[in-house]
Amino acid sequence: MKRTIRDLKNIKGKRILLRCDFNVPLDNYGDILDDTRIVAELPTIAYLNQKGAKLIVCSHLGRPKGFDKYLSLFPVAVYLMKHFPNKVKFCSKVVGPEVDNAVEKLNDGEILVLENLRFNEGEELNSPAFVSKLAKLADIYVDDAFGVTHRKHASNYGVALKLPSAIGFLIEKELLTFQQAFEQPKHPFVAIFGGAKVADKLSLINNVMDKADTIIIGGGMAYTFLQAMGQNIGDSIVALDKIEEAKNVLKNAKEKGIKILLPIDHVALIKDKDKVIKTTGLEKGMVGLDIGRKSAKLFVDEILKAQQIIWNGPVGKYEDKRFKNGTIKIAKAVAKSGAYSIVGGGDSVSAVNASGVADQINHLSTGGGASLKLMEGKILPAIEVIDTL
Ligand code: AMP
């Protein structure tokens, strides 16, 4: 069991370095276009603030190479100022004398927001010098940046090795949700996988193999499975080096009595004519880019019977409106099913948002890569180094 902020005692007046994930989209005027990630961090900030800690809040934003005025965390600090009136200060540096000075002047119950961690190249390199400068700012380290827990960066992995540490409420919720879903699944448990990167998704499938009742496979990855079954997939995306693994998955599932559902029809592009067709068979020159109507019905019928669902990856190239229907139907069915539902991975989360059903999903995981790793049953390095109870 990882130590959580609830386990931290007597923190009034203690300097706490809190790593958040404020990687929010901004426009060129510094307006925050989607505050979901900030809202998700508010309970942890509020809790530590109410306990009277001196909070030093840090985060990355985007992928700057050095200072970039369009990726400043100042707009986030302003947002927090509205939530915590007269308590929030901003320092326009990441580390150094100005930061040391600002921390020195912090009163109990005040919040200091530091500038974007990635303005310092030591952050992603996990450089020892940068780690030391961050660590010396605080007595305790709290990680609540779930979205980067699969990375070994200075502000998570590096600092956690230097200071007494704990996880915040957001990470705690992500861990508990996945743990419960995999250790005590409700049945029927339907796992839905899509997307294009077969290598990643094979580990997902293997991780649910002993737990799920039905595995639905759509999206680009489905074509590797269909080819493994000897079907003609035309010019659809395929991972030839994964055909044998796909065959093994199909064989294992059969032996274990797990139902695997694959597309039975397709929305395809005829490449040289740039024409979209609906078809049950794919031939040379045709690229399958979405599940067809019959497949959608097959998948939806199964989803509606579920008591628990996990979903990662779109079942079509949904960014292109000609191929988004299948994914939207899946999102709506997951919402309608009434099953306990977990959706992870950036694309499936945005499909849920685009379908307007986000409020009917039990858990929308906040971290793309990190939630994929959790679904794969892998250990997240930045969480592994947090103190245990
Ligand atoms: P992943 O990162 O593996 O979850 O893949 C997500 C990407 O898969 C999205 O950008 C989709 O456009 C893409 N995708 C989904 N279905 C297909 C398909 N049938 N062919 C090619 N790409 C697809």
Side-chain angles (χ1 to χ4, degrees):
M1 277 278 283
K2 291 292 166 190
R3 185 197 276 159
T4 76
I5 49 176
R6 250 181 261 102
D7 304 311
L8 298 174
K9 304 294 174 213
N10 306 321
I11 52 175
K12 186 171 173 0
K14 292 266 167 62
R15 297 169 305 158
I16 296 185
L17 180 68
L18 172 63
R19 173 56 156 108
C20 290
D21 179 0
F22 292 142
N23 189 22
V24 289
L26 296 175
D27 66 14
N28 283 351
Y29 304 100
D31 285 329
I32 296 165
L33 300 174
D34 178 354
D35 64 356
T36 311
R37 288 203 166 119
I38 310 179
V39 171
E41 301 285 8
L42 291 176
T44 295
I45 300 175
Y47 178 87
L48 294 170
N49 175 255
Q50 276 157 19
K51 295 279 174 192
K54 295 174 177 172
L55 261 191
I56 304 141
V57 178
C58 61
S59 173
H60 73 287
L61 175 54
R63 295 176 179 271
K65 297 270 167 269
F67 177 75
D68 178 341
K69 67 177 177 178
Y70 294 110
L71 292 173
S72 168
L73 276 172
F74 182 64
V76 176
V78 172
Y79 183 105
L80 292 174
M81 284 169 194
K82 290 182 192 143
H83 270 268
F84 302 97
N86 306 317
K87 289 183 174 172
V88 178
K89 294 174 173 169
F90 177 71
C91 184
S92 61
K93 294 282 184 295
V94 189
V95 285
E98 286 100 326
V99 178
D100 297 345
N101 208 7
V103 171
E104 184 78 16
K105 287 193 189 134
L106 268 185
N107 292 315
D108 297 1
E110 282 188 334
I111 302 166
L112 176 68
V113 180
L114 303 184
E115 188 48 288
N116 188 345
L117 287 160
R118 290 192 185 164
F119 287 174
N120 191 307
E121 63 171 14
E123 165 63 358
E124 286 179 89
L125 295 172
N126 188 21
S127 91
F130 186 56
V131 169
S132 296
K133 285 181 189 161
L134 281 176
K136 85 167 197 235
L137 298 176
D139 307 300
I140 299 167
Y141 169 68
V142 173
D143 192 0
D144 212 21
F146 177 68
V148 277
T149 48
H150 58 310
R151 308 267 182 231
K152 287 185 176 179
H153 289 169
S155 67
N156 57 7
Y157 189 84
V159 177
L161 290 171
K162 293 261 180 192
L163 290 173
S165 57
I167 52 172
F169 293 136
L170 175 66
I171 291 189
E172 183 190 28
K173 184 168 172 253
E174 294 277 2
L175 294 182
L176 286 177
T177 302
F178 282 99
Q179 197 182 342
Q180 205 166 15
F182 286 112
E183 288 174 12
Q184 297 153 324
K186 295 185 184 140
H187 295 281
F189 172 14
V190 176
I192 311 161
F193 299 126
K197 292 183 214 95
V198 185
D200 289 357
K201 310 293 165 131
L202 278 166
S203 4
L204 284 185
I205 296 177
N206 288 325
N207 193 38
V208 298
M209 191 56 106
D210 290 317
K211 295 146 195 145
D213 302 286
T214 303
I215 302 175
I216 294 176
I217 301 175
M221 65 182 289
Y223 296 102
T224 299
F225 284 84
L226 292 174
Q227 175 138 333
M229 290 162 69
Q231 290 194 21
N232 193 350
I233 59 161
D235 288 346
S236 308
I237 187 171
V238 62
L240 291 174
D241 58 334
K242 299 291 172 197
I243 297 275
E244 282 312 307
E245 263 187 82
K247 280 185 186 165
N248 276 336
V249 165
L250 295 169
K251 185 166 154 268
N252 273 347
K254 198 168 180 190
E255 281 166 11
K256 293 183 172 164
I258 297 163
K259 202 194 279 186
I260 298 228
L261 296 183
L262 284 154
I264 48 173
D265 62 345
H266 315 268
V267 180
L269 187 72
I270 301 184
K271 273 200 303 191
D272 45 359
K273 294 189 186 145
D274 197 31
K275 188 177 166 208
V276 177
I277 55 157
K278 292 174 184 165
T279 177
T280 45
L282 292 166
E283 288 159 24
K284 197 162 171 34
M286 295 180 185
V287 187
L289 289 169
D290 195 7
I291 55 170
R293 207 181 309 152
K294 288 186 200 142
S295 314
K297 179 164 180 350
L298 178 75
F299 294 178
V300 167
D301 285 350
E302 199 68 17
I303 289 167
L304 294 179
K305 287 187 243 160
Q307 286 294 320
Q308 178 175 303
I309 296 169
I310 65 165
W311 177 23
N312 177 286
V315 295
K317 196 175 182 220
Y318 83 108
E319 311 91 306
D320 182 331
K321 64 178 188 310
R322 296 173 297 173
F323 308 110
K324 71 172 195 297
N325 280 346
T327 302
I328 301 283
K329 282 182 187 168
I330 298 295
K332 289 188 172 160
V334 173
K336 192 176 165 198
S337 69
Y340 180 75
S341 52
I342 302 174
V343 180
D347 292 307
S348 2
V349 171
S350 52
V352 162
N353 285 326
S355 312
V357 295
D359 58 340
Q360 293 163 65
I361 303 296
N362 293 84
H363 184 73
L364 276 179
S365 183
T366 51
S371 68
L372 185 68
K373 292 279 172 248
L374 267 191
M375 280 192 194
E376 286 174 48
K378 301 230 168 96
I379 290 170
L380 296 164
I383 295 182
E384 200 185 10
V385 291
I386 297 286
D387 293 343
T388 43
L389 275 182

